[in-house]
Amino acid sequence: MPTEADLKQDKAANAVQARQVIDLFHEISTLLNADLDRQTLSICVSLIENGVNPEALAVCNLSFDWKKTETVVRELKKDAVETRREIEERDG
Amino acid sequence: MAHVMKLGALTEELVTLLTSTTVKSDPTKFSIYRESALRSLRHHNYARTNQFDVTSHLDGLEEKFRVYNEDPLADALRERLDTLERKKIKWGAEVLHLLIELSDKPVSNSSLEALDFLRDSEPNTGPPLQWTDLAADDPLLRDKIWNNVDFGAESSGGEDGFEDTRSESSGTDTTAQSSIEDELNRRLEEYTLDTVDKEGLEMLRQAQFWKQIPNVGGIKLETVKKPITELQAIREVAFMLLGLPTALFEIDKDKVLPSKGYALKHASSDTFHKLLQVFADNGSSVAVLRYWVNRSQSIPLMQTFQNSISERLSALDVLLSIIQQRLVAIEDDVVVSLLRVQGELEFATRALFRLSKIIEQLEQERYPHAFRYLELLYDEACTSQMAGDDPMYAFMGEIFFDCFQVYLRPLRTWMEDGELSAGDNVFFVSETSADIGPPSIWQSRYKIRQTQAGVLHAPRFLRAAANKIFTTGKSVVVLKHLRKITSLQSPNTQEPILDFVTVCDPSRLQLASFPELFDVAFDAWVQSKHHLVSSRLRATLFDSCGLHNSLDAVSSIYFMSNGITAATFTNSIFDKLDILDVSWNDRFTLTELARTTFGSLSSVSPDRFRIHLLNLPRRIKDVAKCRRSVKTLAAVEMKYNLSWPIQIILTPTTMSSYQRVFTFLLQIRRSSHVLSRQRLIDDVLTYTNSSDERALYYFMRHRFIWFTQTLYYYLTSLVIEPDSLKMQEQLRCSEDVDAMIEAHATFVKSIIDKALLGIKLELIHKTIVKILDMSIKLEDAQAANEATNKESTEQQQGMMDLSMVSLGLHTPKKRAPEKPHKVEADSTDDEDEEKEVDVDLSILSSTYENEGNESYVEKLRMMKADFDRLGRFVASGLRGVARAGGGDATRSWDVLGEMLEFGFESGSLGYR
């Protein structure tokens, strides 16, 4: 039976190992200009470890770049609002 | 389902991150996003990742970097990829695929600075370092080593000392690698038992009776003696005898004294004190012994003594522990009695008391030998045997023999191998340090050590046997030199055991005294070694070294036992002297002569010959003067070299005695030779000499011849011959080499004495030599007379011839030249090989310059008177000395004296 200490030691080693790997992936992603922050990357890695197809995930990531879409939509909305105001001013 | 749940959770998280909406903030949007994400993640048509594609894509990208002159980027990428490959991550290829899909124009957009940004941000991610973390890593920081220790807290009862570690180790609870020490500490503490035993402590304090001060009703009385039980007293005595410090006895330097502060409850203090005194005396002796045993000794003899004493002391210890055991581990009913203990220890303490006296005596003597204690033990054994104290006798005897065995070791090696160990000052044989050759092995190489008082350096009881031991060793050395012996140890004979039980067997030999028993046993031991060696040496000397041969050779040379060869040798010398040949004392000629003459004998080996000539004083260097006296013949010395083993017996001092006898014989021979030289064929009465002269001359000559012959006969037949036979007999019968040396030495001494060469008879010897000189003078005178007669006859004849011629008568042939033939010595016919020596004694007449011009008759008459006088003196002197003293020689002197007396007595009746 592995003792507590051993388990803890293993966990610690694993943690260190995992951190190193994540660092590596993060560096590669930076080099490849993938624009992923650490947390996102770690979640993606966890998802991939659970069997998610990476292409799908990539598509999901890209397509669900909600921040951009959100700003675009907001801007569009803002434009729409401004346009409506302009139209109302002209009409009225 | 768990998988799905996990997936859901992760997706939620992803959505949260990407859209910065949470479940709480914007639930509808969140759920929409989540659903769509899940849908896209689950239902898709994408193929599995092809890792070769991935690698090739990445390689292509790297090359693209390089083409676009972005070498650092390419290197960085390469490095990361290599590291990744090394690590072999399970989903590595998939993640790379993801990253590739997400990558957005890396060539133009990515830069190395981004990496630096990454690196800079990292240190902030770790948790802050805390003191507990450091303490966990480093045990030195953990333990409160650096606290001040309370030294005063040490006490037999307290357990304060362990508190620190105990409290400290519980504080650390870390995941550091050095947590093993924690475990150990904890385990140690588990082993400590809480043994605070109050009752035991109290009992202990009770038993320490010396600390208790008697009190009556609470008042402490300091001056009253403390009461102790008898059991405690016995224990104290036992401890004291074991050499441990006690409260009941005080140790004052070497003496043990009973302390006065204690008393037994049931005995009077005087009795108790006396008893304690007895024990204290015993304790003193035991203490002395113990102290002495612990001193380091370098000599093995002392070490065995120490060993024996320590054995006896340990026997005492065993006895004491048996006594104590009987009282402590009680099996039967036992009475606690101090007197009984004393009785049980009585013999042991008495014996040890005597031993301690021996030690004290050893200490007091200044510079004792190492074996002095052997003598003391010997004495003790003798006295205890005589006092009838058998146990003490056995005790001392055993110790004595144990130590004696060690003393015997060098003796044994000496007697068996002839070897001495260097630096051994205990054994009484020592070797001289100079390099001495074989001839003097016997005499001077080994010496018996003696003290300054001239006493033998050996225990008193060994002195009688010391010589035997000495000669045994020397014999072994000689035999080794002759290579006749390799080792003496023959497997059959075993040396007798020298042990107390064997030597002084109490059952059989109780009544025999110890010195006698010891002497007998030791003699047997010595003999067992001595006998074999000495008999072998004797046999060797007789057989291979040719003792008989040497003896024969010596006697034939020095005693002239073979007359013919001796005569040849001596006569040639005498002839040379008579013709005044200067080379008579030439060493080389003489040696050559000796070798040819004596060397023809079988027992003589001519190579060993050497003639040594002493230097003559200058006044008689002249050969003419030399020949007048026989004393000069003493200059001729014969030296015959013997082989060195023979020289052990025929020592050089005896050789000089042989030489003296030889000289004497030579001198007698000289005179007889001179006298008998002239063979008188006829002697015609002429008118030139009267009957007076001739009668006197012949008378004298006859007397001289008789004298020399008697003397020679006496020397050879009555002295040398019987003594030699006796000596040979004794040599054959002697048991060892010393006896042989003794026999030979006595032989030589007796010969010297009997041959009138001793100190007592020096005057007589001189007188005899004078007589011998006189014989030469007689002959010379006679020759001179003849010469003058011849001259005068010639003169007369010449005158007659002249007158005849003048008268005109017929002159006969000159017979003058023929006449000398008559008087010449006719010694030529006999010897074939000898050179013909025609000695004309007439030439000697000219040498007598100092002689007065007395007439021939007068000279003769004087000579006769002198001869009578001297001869009578010799005879009466001999008779007188023989009457005076006793001994072998006197008998011979008596015989000689009688013979000479007879001659002189009868002679006086002869011619006037």
Side-chain angles (χ1 to χ4, degrees), chain B residues 310-333:
Chain B
S310 57
E311 270 178 28
R312 288 357 184 241
L313 283 175
S314 59
L316 175 71
D317 293 347
V318 164
L319 194 57
L320 284 169
S321 55
I322 289 176
I323 293 174
Q324 291 185 67
Q325 188 186 5
R326 209 179 45 225
L327 294 172
V328 170
I330 298 175
E331 290 172 19
D332 298 329
D333 290 339

Side-chain angles (χ1 to χ4, degrees), chain B residues 413-477:
Chain B
T413 45
W414 168 245
M415 287 172 74
E416 285 177 7
D417 298 325
E419 280 167 10
L420 295 170
S421 63
D424 184 9
N425 288 333
V426 177
F427 191 36
F428 56 83
V429 177
S430 66
E431 186 173 348
T432 51
S433 47
D435 210 6
I436 294 185
S440 32
I441 283 183
W442 196 264
Q443 293 295 49
S444 50
R445 182 151 156 205
Y446 297 100
K447 290 232 175 310
I448 293 191
R449 223 192 285 261
Q450 289 184 337
T451 63
Q452 286 182 346
V455 175
L456 183 62
H457 182 82
R460 246 178 298 124
F461 44 86
L462 287 187
R463 285 202 188 127
N467 261 328
K468 227 180 193 179
I469 300 172
F470 188 47
T471 52
T472 314
K474 281 198 293 188
S475 318
V476 172
V477 174

Side-chain angles (χ1 to χ4, degrees), chain B residues 643-674:
Chain B
S643 70
W644 68 267
I646 304 294
Q647 274 186 14
I648 294 175
I649 304 202
L650 275 60
T651 55
T653 41
T654 53
M655 297 312 268
S656 61
S657 311
Y658 276 119
Q659 176 58 40
R660 285 175 66 195
V661 175
F662 170 74
T663 313
F664 196 32
L665 289 173
L666 193 64
Q667 289 166 340
I668 299 175
R669 264 184 183 260
R670 167 84 176 120
S671 80
S672 68
H673 176 82
V674 164

Side-chain angles (χ1 to χ4, degrees), chain A residues 20-21 23-24 26-34 43 48-50 53-55 58-59 61 64 66-67, chain B residues 3 10 17-19 36-37 44 46-47 49 61 73 80 87 89 91 94 103-104 109-110 114-115 118 122:
Chain A
Q20 282 175 348
V21 169
D23 287 343
L24 201 58
H26 199 194
E27 283 172 6
I28 295 175
S29 75
T30 319
L31 281 171
L32 292 174
N33 199 21
I43 293 171
I48 288 170
E49 278 176 2
N50 278 304
N53 187 298
E55 270 191 76
V59 165
N61 239 12
F64 288 169
W66 296 110
K67 286 200 197 121
Chain B
H3 177 75
L10 285 170
L17 275 174
L18 284 175
T19 57
S36 57
H44 62 84
Y46 298 112
T49 318
L61 183 62
L73 278 175
R80 293 330 181 279
K87 284 196 189 280
I89 313 291
W91 299 97
E94 274 80 7
S103 70
D104 177 25
N109 293 340
S110 53
L115 272 180
L118 274 183
E122 271 192 23

Side-chain angles (χ1 to χ4, degrees), chain B residues 539-677:
Chain B
T540 315
L541 281 175
F542 271 120
D543 301 330
S544 54
C545 301
L547 184 62
H548 284 299
N549 256 2
S550 311
L551 284 172
D552 276 342
V554 162
S555 78
S556 60
I557 295 170
Y558 289 99
F559 296 154
M560 299 192 203
S561 54
N562 188 332
I564 302 174
T565 43
T568 350
F569 175 71
T570 52
N571 288 353
S572 41
I573 298 184
F574 300 151
D575 290 338
K576 275 202 203 143
L577 267 180
D578 282 336
I579 58 174
L580 301 177
D581 188 355
V582 183
S583 72
W584 79 272
N585 57 355
D586 177 31
R587 206 172 72 197
F588 299 106
T589 332
L590 279 177
T591 315
E592 194 56 42
L593 177 67
R595 284 203 184 148
T596 45
T597 50
F598 285 116
S600 59
L601 295 171
S602 60
S603 52
V604 175
S605 100
D607 303 328
R608 295 175 183 267
F609 245 125
R610 211 168 33 95
I611 300 239
H612 179 70
L613 283 165
L614 298 174
N615 284 327
L616 299 167
R618 211 172 301 151
R619 58 183 170 83
I620 47 172
K621 259 274 164 69
D622 186 22
V623 66
K625 291 199 185 116
C626 275
R627 63 166 291 286
R628 255 187 253 168
S629 161
V630 297
K631 289 193 202 121
T632 56
L633 288 172
V636 176
E637 279 188 2
M638 310 283 284
K639 288 231 187 303
Y640 185 68
N641 283 333
L642 298 163
S643 70
W644 68 267
I646 304 294
Q647 274 186 14
I648 294 175
I649 304 202
L650 275 60
T651 55
T653 41
T654 53
M655 297 312 268
S656 61
S657 311
Y658 276 119
Q659 176 58 40
R660 285 175 66 195
V661 175
F662 170 74
T663 313
F664 196 32
L665 289 173
L666 193 64
Q667 289 166 340
I668 299 175
R669 264 184 183 260
R670 167 84 176 120
S671 80
S672 68
H673 176 82
V674 164
L675 288 167
S676 51
R677 175 170 284 281

Side-chain angles (χ1 to χ4, degrees), chain B residues 218-239:
Chain B
I219 306 166
K220 293 192 178 166
L221 303 166
E222 296 278 343
T223 51
V224 168
K225 295 191 195 226
K226 304 185 189 114
I228 54 173
T229 64
E230 196 152 357
L231 188 63
Q232 284 173 335
I234 292 178
R235 198 186 62 196
E236 290 292 294
V237 164
F239 282 179

